[in-house]
Amino acid sequence: MTAEQIIASLEELVASGDAPGKVLTDPADLETYGKDWTKIHTPAPLAIVLPKTTEQVQALVKFANENQVALVPSGGRTGLSAGAVAANGEVVVAFDNMNKIVDFNASDRTVRCQAGVITEQLQNFAEENDLYYPVDFASAGSSQLGGNLSTNAGGIKVIRYGMSRDWVAGLKVVTGKGDVLDLNKDLEKNNTGYDLRHLFIGAEGTLGFITEATMKLTRKPNDLTVLVLGVNDLTNTMDVLKAFQNKMDLTAYEFFSHQAMQHVLAHGQVQAPFETEAPYYALLEFEAVSDQVMDDAMEVFEHCMEEGWVLDGVISQSETQAQSLWMLREGISESIAPRTPYKNDISVVVSRVPGFLQEIESVVTEHYPDFEIIWFGHIGDGNLHLNILKPEDMPKEEFFEKCQQVNKWVFEIVEKYEGSVSAEHGVGMTKKDYLRYTRSEAEIAYLRGIKQVFDPNGIMNPGKIFD
Ligand SMILES: Cc1cc2nc3c(=O)[nH]c(=O)nc-3n(C[C@H](O)[C@H](O)[C@H](O)COP(=O)(O)OP(=O)(O)OC[C@H]3O[C@@H](n4cnc5c(N)ncnc54)[C@H](O)[C@@H]3O)c2cc1C
């Protein structure tokens, strides 16, 4: 089939029914929908399809199988591993027009959403109904539920509420073979063999499309209070975490370096939390539901000061102040984005973080002496974001090549500590060469086998996770 014939067929496929979809081929649209946040690869899709219904998605998949057309699922394109990138003439299937909340069950506390619902739209819907959707991160205003589930997104509340996976009651998917499956039927208990729902979560669109999801909601947290602490060194962040967790439940525990904070402050929207300069900062959040909880927090804070782990601290006195303290952490990705950061998103089990951190830090200092390194992350669940900023005068290609040389050392430490080369961003294209540092050969063979079952013709997001 020629490109023109494929485009004409796509137009025909989504034109049917009461809710016709759209096909875009304008160069500006191809550029926009062909990439995610990584911006490493040059986008080059053949066309963009915006379906309106699951039936249209199914028709697209059947057509793709019959004609060997590669499909790339696309959500909000905030992904950080090039999972939604179309750089080889693929057809992008974008869910922007499947963005409705279709059902709400107040007694089950579940909400059925189309895949294109924006994360923040779901959070706001929960709030309007006096409930809470706890998966949250800085890109929640643009990312879509289909993308969140396909990457099993984590974020800033994992320490208390878990990952996206934990909030899925049911999924509607179109497999790579073109079957529509209603997975788990929103049941809380359903032990009837393999739970296929969980295979699609985190599959990065390589097994099929998620077209709808039923998400669970929970009670709203009360009196969320934020404490920002200046911390003496990276390993002390873990001493502080342990001290607080021995006394109280935290809803978040994040860290960032002084350099990371400097980038946020340069944007001018927030101020430094206090005058004392510290190499690292910990941000923790808890529900201050009683005077006793506040007293406990103050007692632990004083203990951390006495131990010399903490240099200074500030506690929020209002919701507005809590939000602006959160900006110190949540504003980092955006503030460094113009510097084309090379991102590593690594993790180990929490108890092994201190030794892991020390080894990573010494390798990075030794091998990146000329690069600006930005540390931050969800350290409460063992997840570190290591960002290397491109020197202004260095060409992009040379910079990424240098970063990849150092990856070997970083990932060898990850392997030694039995950690993950991608804690929450997925594998996509950027981490596929390093998958073996976290997954064994036998495991990868099973992954390939599963792919073969759901997508025997290899039309779903080829070249992502593995070749
Ligand atoms: C500023 C910033 C902060 C971030 N912070 C975090 C964080 O704290 N935690 C975290 O986990 N991530 C974070 N991310 C990464 C990103 O936002 C998440 O991975 C998010 O879940 C991606 O959603 P998306 O809709 O943008 O997906 P996309 O980037 O569009 O796609 C991601 C993957 O999902 C697939 N996909 C998309 N929609 C579907 C569908 N309907 N069916 C099947 N496959 C599909 C794509 O093919 C791709 O492989 C951050 C990103 C940015 C830019």
Side-chain angles (χ1 to χ4, degrees):
M1 258 186 153
T2 64
E4 288 72 24
Q5 285 168 328
I6 294 174
I7 292 166
S9 304
L10 295 173
E11 282 167 346
E12 215 173 292
L13 285 171
V14 296
S16 58
D18 299 339
K22 260 193 209 160
V23 177
L24 312 174
T25 52
D26 189 82
D29 292 324
L30 298 181
E31 160 92 24
T32 305
Y33 283 91
K35 61 172 189 267
D36 66 3
W37 251 60
T38 50
K39 300 176 185 74
I40 302 170
H41 306 272
T42 309
L46 176 69
I48 317 301
V49 186
L50 295 145
K52 289 280 272 188
T53 63
T54 298
E55 290 70 31
Q56 288 172 4
V57 176
Q58 185 181 31
L60 286 167
V61 172
K62 289 195 166 163
F63 168 80
N65 272 290
E66 283 154 16
N67 297 284
Q68 267 305 309
V69 174
L71 302 177
V72 175
S74 168
R77 298 179 306 282
T78 66
L80 298 173
S81 66
V85 168
N88 296 300
E90 305 93 330
V91 171
V92 172
V93 180
F95 284 82
D96 299 21
N97 293 345
M98 288 180 70
N99 59 355
K100 302 268 175 308
I101 289 181
V102 282
D103 197 18
F104 171 54
N105 187 322
S107 42
D108 291 336
R109 300 209 290 198
T110 55
V111 52
R112 193 156 185 82
C113 305
Q114 289 185 310
V117 162
I118 304 282
T119 318
E120 196 175 74
Q121 189 185 341
L122 175 57
Q123 292 168 344
N124 292 341
F125 181 86
E127 170 97 33
E128 284 155 23
N129 289 283
D130 214 22
L131 288 165
Y132 187 58
Y133 179 63
V135 179
D136 195 16
F137 36 81
S139 53
S142 312
S143 73
Q144 297 178 3
L145 206 47
N148 296 166
L149 299 180
S150 301
T151 54
N152 186 26
I156 54 180
K157 306 276 175 155
V158 172
I159 192 171
R160 167 75 175 272
Y161 295 102
M163 312 273 281
S164 296
R165 180 187 300 286
D166 299 303
W167 297 90
V168 180
L171 278 189
K172 184 178 275 187
V173 302
V174 179
T175 69
K177 272 165 86 171
D179 296 318
V180 176
L181 305 180
D182 238 320
L183 301 175
N184 198 51
K185 301 188 173 62
D186 309 348
L187 295 165
E188 189 61 43
K189 296 182 112 180
N190 177 22
N191 286 348
T192 51
Y194 311 134
D195 194 335
L196 301 180
R197 163 184 57 154
H198 286 296
L199 280 181
F200 278 79
I201 300 169
E204 301 182 45
T206 60
L207 302 181
F209 291 98
I210 294 172
T211 60
E212 278 183 25
T214 303
M215 305 304 296
K216 302 179 208 173
L217 304 178
T218 189
R219 77 156 176 87
K220 268 200 227 177
N222 294 311
D223 303 312
L224 284 177
T225 298
V226 173
L227 192 55
V228 172
L229 307 173
V231 184
N232 230 340
D233 73 30
L234 267 177
T235 51
N236 286 157
T237 56
M238 300 314 286
D239 299 321
V240 173
L241 171 67
K242 213 188 287 171
F244 273 93
Q245 277 185 321
N246 281 342
K247 200 79 183 175
M248 58 205 292
D249 291 327
L250 299 178
T251 52
Y253 190 80
E254 300 284 311
F255 96 107
F256 46 92
S257 63
H258 184 68
Q259 236 154 333
M261 188 175 78
Q262 290 304 101
H263 283 273
V264 179
L265 298 182
H267 269 220
Q269 286 153 331
V270 275
Q271 291 177 340
F274 33 74
E275 276 182 18
T276 317
E277 205 173 282
Y280 299 98
Y281 300 87
L283 181 153
L284 52 104
E285 187 191 67
F286 57 96
E287 290 180 272
V289 284
S290 66
D291 290 346
Q292 183 60 50
V293 176
M294 277 308 249
D295 290 348
D296 287 347
M298 286 307 108
E299 194 185 303
V300 182
F301 169 68
E302 277 158 28
H303 170 70
C304 293
M305 290 282 285
E306 279 160 22
E307 290 290 336
W309 303 330
V310 164
L311 302 169
D312 205 345
V314 63
I315 191 160
S316 64
Q317 302 295 334
S318 66
E319 211 180 310
T320 317
Q321 198 187 358
Q323 277 167 5
S324 80
L325 289 174
W326 260 118
M327 265 307 289
L328 294 169
R329 163 65 186 87
E330 285 286 78
I332 298 171
S333 285
E334 197 145 1
S335 70
I336 60 174
R339 293 283 305 278
T340 326
Y342 182 81
K343 288 175 172 289
N344 266 316
D345 166 39
I346 47 187
S347 70
V348 286
V349 295
V350 175
S351 58
R352 302 189 83 178
V353 168
F356 176 70
L357 273 177
Q358 271 164 354
E359 286 198 39
I360 293 275
E361 211 185 8
S362 63
V363 159
V364 166
T365 332
E366 185 184 341
H367 295 288
Y368 289 128
D370 310 329
F371 291 163
E372 187 180 343
I373 309 291
I374 302 291
W375 283 100
F376 61 98
H378 317 294
I379 201 164
D381 42 74
N383 183 185
L384 308 167
H385 295 318
L386 166 64
N387 288 253
I388 302 135
L389 304 192
K390 187 180 86 54
E392 312 244 332
D393 53 353
M394 187 179 281
K396 210 162 82 172
E397 292 68 30
E398 185 188 335
F399 171 65
F400 284 124
E401 208 174 294
K402 287 203 163 150
C403 292
Q404 276 171 22
Q405 284 164 12
V406 185
N407 273 348
K408 187 175 169 302
W409 288 293
V410 170
F411 292 149
E412 274 169 6
I413 299 170
V414 169
E415 188 179 30
K416 178 175 151 193
Y417 280 82
E418 298 178 304
S420 176
V421 295
S422 184
E424 56 177 16
H425 295 163
V427 179
M429 291 204 270
T430 59
K431 295 293 181 289
K432 68 179 169 182
D433 293 342
Y434 310 107
L435 193 56
R436 68 189 167 80
Y437 287 99
T438 298
R439 310 295 293 261
S440 68
E441 259 177 51
E443 269 184 285
I444 295 172
Y446 276 105
L447 298 185
R448 288 184 188 282
I450 290 166
K451 164 90 174 162
Q452 183 65 24
V453 169
F454 285 97
D455 180 28
N457 294 320
I459 55 135
M460 286 305 309
N461 218 1
K464 313 294 163 52
I465 303 184
F466 35 61
D467 286 315

